[in-house]
Amino acid sequence: MRLPSGVVTVCAVVLNSGVGLAASPPSQQTQAASPQLPPGVSATLWRVSVPQGSEPTPERVALGEKLFRDKRLSVDNTVACMTCHEPELGFTDGKPLSEGVKQQKVARNSPTVLNALFNATQFWDGRAATLEDQAKLPILNPREMGMPDADTVMKKVRGIPEYVTDFQKVFGREPTFDDLATAIAAFERMQFSGDARFDKFIAGDSKALTASEKNGWALFNGKARCNSCHAGNAVSPLFSDQKFHNIGVAAHKQDFVTLARKGVQVVRAGDEKQIDELALNSEFSELGRFLVTRQENDVGSFKTPTLRNVGITGPYMHDGSLATLWDVMDHYNKGGVANPYLDGGMQRLGLTEPEIDDLVAFLFTLTDSKFDKLNKEQLAKQRARKNTRPERDTAIAMGKKGNLGDIAPNPDLAEKNPADLGFYGSVTPAPVIPAVKQR
């Protein structure tokens, strides 16, 4: 199979950096050094994000990509992991809601795989702790890849001669479901991204951003309050606090209060299996993190997504209901949609149209340079829809009606590299000073 050029490059990086240890049996492998990383991703963070024993060796990565692209992992050979996470689209599918086997709509928007290795939890509701756990669940989801159970998956994989050979070579044994997930996770751990124009700006190139984009960055950290949940810094390069918030998205299209009340009753009376099924395959999916933790203060909460590559990974929000970043800004500008579980940090922002334009311009600077062409296409496509703004409500955003909190103060828009202010410094560990021996 012909590998895409980006993956070939990644594998070459792994080989050149000394990550590759596949010639040795798994039991003899040791923790690998980090590969060559882009400026927005620190080597220290990469090392702490890769569990010991789960290092992405070239052989694991190659097998993982093969599995990632293989539709034979689905019940009817029509859907692969790549169906919802296309590498050429920033590892998303560009649809509001993804489609699984038999053209079934899934309950949530497809999040990007890029930089997923840095996520504290996986999925919009955080129900998987590791990439390995995440890799298994879509294969077994009846709406996604539709396989009934792990045994059926592995019976099918063991019936494919090339995989029997591949797994023996990589893991030294016949295919297992755990090894399948390990290989897919290894491939996903190599999909890091951080070479954006913003990174060049932070590194000291003041001309990397336009005046509008710099104003957008100032608004991001000031009046727009984006950094409350999407702060970007050296130890958090994803622009995500990795926490869960109810920002009212699920409340703008249904009687959310009634839905939440029913959900609480089900959780109190239902069994684990029933609750898991509700989380994935019913209207109760809109209750988000609550169906994982069973805590009422998590009703309607979803994980703060990364803003890395946000320009090319729309539509936005857990349900893909916001088509453009202008729509996203409109949603926040009016303080979200009121509901009893709305995050306390939500408030009207009072952003003007030029300020929203600057914020959107800044967000498009977070796209990795390898997606420059797609980023420009998406910016043009979104800008063309600028006059179609279903979430826009200027009266609420400007405090002329409603009661959703105070309008945020204006930020200091003076142009200054945030790195100079300590917003985005180095994470290079301080040198270890040897202890002085006591005489």
Side-chain angles (χ1 to χ4, degrees):
M1 181 182 67
R2 180 177 175 272
L3 295 175
S5 58
V7 174
V8 172
T9 302
V10 165
C11 290
V13 167
V14 176
L15 289 166
N16 292 335
S17 64
V19 170
L21 294 170
S24 303
S27 60
Q28 296 179 22
Q29 294 175 4
T30 58
Q31 186 166 17
S34 60
Q36 184 175 347
L37 297 164
V41 180
S42 83
T44 301
L45 185 61
W46 194 90
R47 283 194 293 274
V48 300
S49 300
V50 179
Q52 191 166 8
S54 298
E55 293 81 1
T57 65
E59 282 75 11
R60 287 183 182 181
V61 172
L63 175 58
E65 184 184 10
K66 190 173 181 177
L67 293 162
F68 189 86
R69 293 173 174 273
D70 197 336
K71 294 181 178 179
R72 292 175 293 184
L73 295 187
S74 66
V75 69
D76 58 2
N77 303 329
T78 61
V79 174
C81 304
M82 193 183 75
T83 303
C84 301
H85 303 283
E86 296 183 36
E88 293 75 13
L89 295 179
F91 285 89
T92 66
D93 58 11
K95 301 174 182 176
L97 299 176
S98 299
E99 290 183 1
V101 292
K102 302 175 183 177
Q103 298 182 320
Q104 296 179 94
K105 291 280 187 185
V106 304
R108 293 173 186 164
N109 175 261
S110 176
T112 180
V113 173
L114 291 170
N115 292 325
L117 79 156
F118 300 120
N119 289 340
T121 58
Q122 306 295 335
F123 293 113
W124 279 101
D125 56 14
R127 68 182 183 278
T130 67
L131 285 175
E132 284 79 2
D133 290 343
Q134 187 280 328
K136 294 176 180 177
L137 295 181
I139 297 173
L140 304 179
N141 186 303
R143 288 194 185 184
E144 296 185 45
M145 299 172 76
M147 296 296 276
D149 52 55
D151 290 341
T152 304
V153 176
M154 297 322 299
K155 182 179 179 180
K156 191 172 183 181
V157 171
R158 290 176 191 132
I160 301 173
E162 64 189 89
Y163 279 133
V164 174
T165 303
D166 289 343
F167 276 79
Q168 185 66 39
K169 177 183 176 184
V170 177
F171 296 104
R173 51 182 174 250
E174 69 174 5
T176 70
F177 200 39
D178 284 342
D179 288 344
L180 179 147
T182 296
I184 293 175
F187 169 68
E188 293 178 336
R189 284 197 174 92
M190 294 307 294
Q191 309 312 318
F192 40 75
S193 162
D195 185 19
R197 281 199 292 122
F198 171 76
D199 298 301
K200 294 180 174 61
F201 172 65
I202 289 298
D205 181 1
S206 62
K207 296 181 180 178
L209 301 190
T210 67
S212 171
E213 292 161 350
K214 290 175 183 174
N215 280 346
W217 173 236
L219 288 159
F220 184 94
N221 291 296
K223 181 179 179 181
R225 305 179 68 250
C226 308
N227 68 344
S228 296
C229 299
H230 291 283
N233 53 57
V235 295
S236 181
L238 295 188
F239 289 81
S240 167
D241 63 2
Q242 310 253 12
K243 297 180 181 177
F244 300 84
H245 303 277
N246 178 327
I247 60 171
V249 171
H252 72 191
K253 58 186 179 185
Q254 59 194 315
D255 183 349
F256 187 73
V257 175
T258 299
L259 179 68
R261 187 179 300 122
K262 290 180 181 176
V264 171
Q265 291 172 349
V266 169
V267 165
R268 287 174 177 166
D271 58 33
E272 293 284 333
K273 185 174 183 296
Q274 180 190 18
I275 295 168
D276 287 344
E277 290 173 351
L278 289 174
L280 298 174
N281 304 317
S282 74
E283 62 182 341
F284 292 102
S285 173
E286 294 295 298
L287 301 182
R289 182 69 172 166
F290 166 68
L291 293 179
V292 177
T293 65
R294 323 299 204 238
Q295 300 295 316
E296 286 193 44
N297 59 356
D298 283 326
V299 168
S301 294
F302 292 88
K303 186 168 67 177
T304 306
T306 178
L307 295 186
R308 287 276 176 188
N309 306 297
V310 69
I312 63 168
T313 51
Y316 305 104
M317 305 301 177
H318 72 276
D319 58 358
S321 60
L322 303 184
T324 73
L325 288 172
W326 274 274
D327 295 334
V328 172
M329 294 315 307
D330 284 340
H331 174 83
Y332 283 112
N333 203 19
K334 62 184 180 183
V337 178
N339 70 87
Y341 305 95
L342 188 70
D343 190 287
M346 296 293 289
Q347 66 178 64
R348 296 170 297 174
L349 300 174
L351 297 169
T352 65
E353 281 302 293
E355 288 172 336
I356 290 176
D357 289 344
D358 288 348
L359 278 159
V360 173
F362 164 70
L363 292 172
F364 272 92
T365 72
L366 298 176
T367 302
D368 191 289
S369 60
K370 61 190 172 190
F371 296 111
D372 274 349
K373 182 173 181 291
L374 179 61
N375 199 48
K376 290 176 182 175
E377 291 172 355
Q378 289 299 314
L379 176 56
K381 187 181 293 185
Q382 292 194 22
R383 186 179 283 135
R385 297 183 59 164
K386 212 182 122 180
N387 293 325
T388 304
R389 308 267 287 273
E391 295 298 317
R392 186 177 188 178
D393 194 327
T394 304
I396 289 181
M398 296 300 174
K400 295 181 180 177
K401 70 175 184 180
N403 182 24
L404 289 171
D406 296 330
I407 294 177
N410 288 325
D412 179 5
L413 295 179
E415 293 180 14
K416 194 165 186 177
N417 189 331
D420 296 336
L421 302 176
F423 290 168
Y424 210 97
S426 171
V427 293
T428 303
V432 176
I433 301 174
V436 177
K437 291 184 178 180
Q438 300 295 324
R439 294 178 181 279

